[in-house]
Amino acid sequence: MNFLKALFGPSRKDVWRQLADEVDGQFHEVGLFNPFAVQARTGDWTVTLDTYTSGDGKTNQTFTRLRAPYFNPEGFRFDIYRAGVFSGFGKALGLQDIEVGHPRFDRDFVIKGNAPRRLRRLFGNGRVRRLMQAQPKIQLTVKGRDGWFGRYPDGMDELHFQAHGAIKDLARLRNLFDLFTEVLWEVCHGGRAHEDDVPFHVRRLSAPGGRITNKYVLWEGDRPRRDAAAALGRLEDPAAIPALADVLWDEDAVLRLRAVEALAEIRHPGAIGPLVPLLGDARKAAGLQFRDGVAEALRQLGEGELVVTVGAALGGDFGRLKTYDGGYRAEIIAALGHALEGSSGAHAANALAEIHAVEALPRLREVQRSLGTRDATGQAVAAAIGKLEARASLPRAAAAADVEVDTLPRSAQAPGPDPGTLPRGSQAP
């Protein structure tokens, strides 16, 4: 073995294992035909190095590739390769040839893209240009959602490199990992991470969660989103409220709880409305009843009375709810609507009837279709629908604004029209 190493150099397995150590990544031994892979995290992304074989069974070729899924809602696309290679490839993608304003780089590379200004900014980064120049052969492109890549969620694309053969040049491979890191930071965050920058964390929060897996885990979106929610709470900027409100119903229970905590930390009245409907959510988060975390957040925002009122109603005591005048009626009705399918469903239905919430009829009918009248909750829902439909059918008194003033009858003493304007009778003088 030592003789073979001396003759041919270290094996690809040895080189890739060393690369994994250098980039603080993982070395995977996975299968017979594509046995090795290296993965490393950089920022919010996972960069995966592996090989694949393509051909017709008679003449097969091996390719080395790097790929990294990332959030790209703007649809920024590019395809970059050394001049004289892959000529015309980008035309099929609807991309245009672009010069980025650096003569040597423009001479050595074909640069195609759909956003010239963003490409010029990307290659205004001298380190990106130097890392590209160090690659003897390179094609760096953004793979969209077409074809095989359609498995990615909306807004996700893939930064992709490929080259012929199985690369075992350690310096070149390390250069490629560094290039991916630099390009991802540029295209996603303008080159720098601003830990005190609200838009930076809002973008992280809006990326898809969950996992993308194909032999390996290519994308793990939950941890970055949780970190972003916590950071937005720490920054206490009300501008983050809409983004945090958008994830309050997310499938990731820990993210939901982080968003609730962040809204409480921001301590702005605008955070109250999005939280109130969650008082009817009986799901768990981080091992706790999610509703408890919401209630605590609302108390911190000065809405302790609202919490007690809704809690009492869900326990069957409607007195406070019927006299409550603290606002947020629509949000309270939404909370009761969400509670219909939980353990407090019967009380929630009765509460909606008690406060004459005819606006809840669509939600009640939806739950009735799901539950029927098999149990106490279904029966309470049916009864509430009957009461509210009867109320909705009652005639309303006309508002004063609905009646034109000049159509009302005049009193006998009221001044009438000018007699001179009346038609004269035939006997009139």
Side-chain angles (χ1 to χ4, degrees), residues 115-396:
R117 183 177 298 178
R118 291 193 65 179
L119 271 172
R120 294 187 184 104
R121 187 174 66 195
L122 170 61
F123 291 107
N125 183 321
R127 189 160 188 259
V128 171
R129 296 197 308 275
R130 288 192 297 273
L131 290 167
M132 289 279 291
Q133 290 281 12
Q135 288 292 322
K137 294 180 181 179
I138 186 169
Q139 183 188 13
L140 188 67
T141 188
V142 176
K143 297 279 189 180
R145 285 172 44 80
D146 55 317
W148 184 78
F149 295 93
R151 74 188 192 291
Y152 287 163
D154 289 340
M156 293 289 295
D157 287 320
E158 180 178 275
L159 185 64
H160 188 96
F161 161 88
Q162 69 178 38
H164 287 284
I167 300 174
K168 64 173 189 173
D169 180 335
L170 179 61
R172 185 182 179 192
L173 292 169
R174 178 60 192 264
N175 172 284
L176 283 167
F177 268 87
D178 291 344
L179 175 63
F180 263 57
T181 296
E182 201 71 24
V183 170
L184 287 166
W185 279 109
E186 280 289 345
V187 299
C188 293
H189 301 309
R192 294 191 314 180
H194 303 279
E195 289 301 320
D196 59 349
D197 186 358
V198 169
F200 168 75
H201 292 295
V202 166
R203 182 184 175 95
R204 298 176 71 210
L205 185 62
S206 61
R211 288 184 169 191
I212 299 172
T213 304
N214 181 37
K215 295 183 182 177
Y216 332 100
V217 176
L218 301 176
W219 164 271
E220 288 188 283
D222 291 339
R223 190 182 76 182
R225 299 174 82 211
R226 295 169 186 173
D227 291 346
L232 290 170
R234 174 177 54 80
L235 294 173
E236 300 181 4
D237 190 331
I241 290 175
L244 290 164
D246 282 345
V247 301
L248 288 175
W249 299 93
D250 197 88
E251 293 181 1
D252 179 3
V254 177
L255 175 63
R256 294 198 310 270
L257 194 56
R258 294 288 179 273
V260 168
E261 293 168 348
L263 288 169
E265 289 182 76
I266 291 174
R267 295 186 179 276
H268 187 275
I272 297 170
L275 288 172
V276 176
L278 293 164
L279 288 172
D281 189 349
R283 293 176 296 176
K284 290 186 177 182
L288 303 172
Q289 282 291 334
F290 184 50
R291 188 184 296 163
D292 295 341
V294 175
E296 178 57 29
L298 285 168
R299 291 189 193 97
Q300 292 180 42
L301 290 165
E303 292 295 334
E305 182 185 356
L306 187 155
V307 170
V308 172
T309 298
V310 175
L314 291 176
D317 179 359
F318 311 128
R320 288 176 176 270
L321 185 62
K322 292 169 69 175
T323 60
Y324 180 74
D325 61 355
Y328 299 103
R329 173 182 168 86
E331 290 81 1
I332 290 172
I333 290 172
L336 296 171
H338 289 303
L340 288 170
E341 293 181 285
S343 59
S344 303
H347 293 321
N350 292 331
L352 290 168
E354 288 288 334
I355 61 173
H356 312 306
V358 294
E359 57 266 60
L361 275 169
R363 171 61 178 160
L364 285 162
R365 293 178 184 129
E366 175 189 347
V367 173
Q368 184 183 46
R369 287 193 293 271
S370 172
L371 296 181
T373 56
R374 297 185 303 272
D375 56 17
T377 298
Q379 293 163 14
V381 167
I385 290 173
K387 292 177 182 178
L388 293 174
E389 284 181 337
R391 184 171 185 83
S393 66
L394 293 175
R396 290 187 306 144

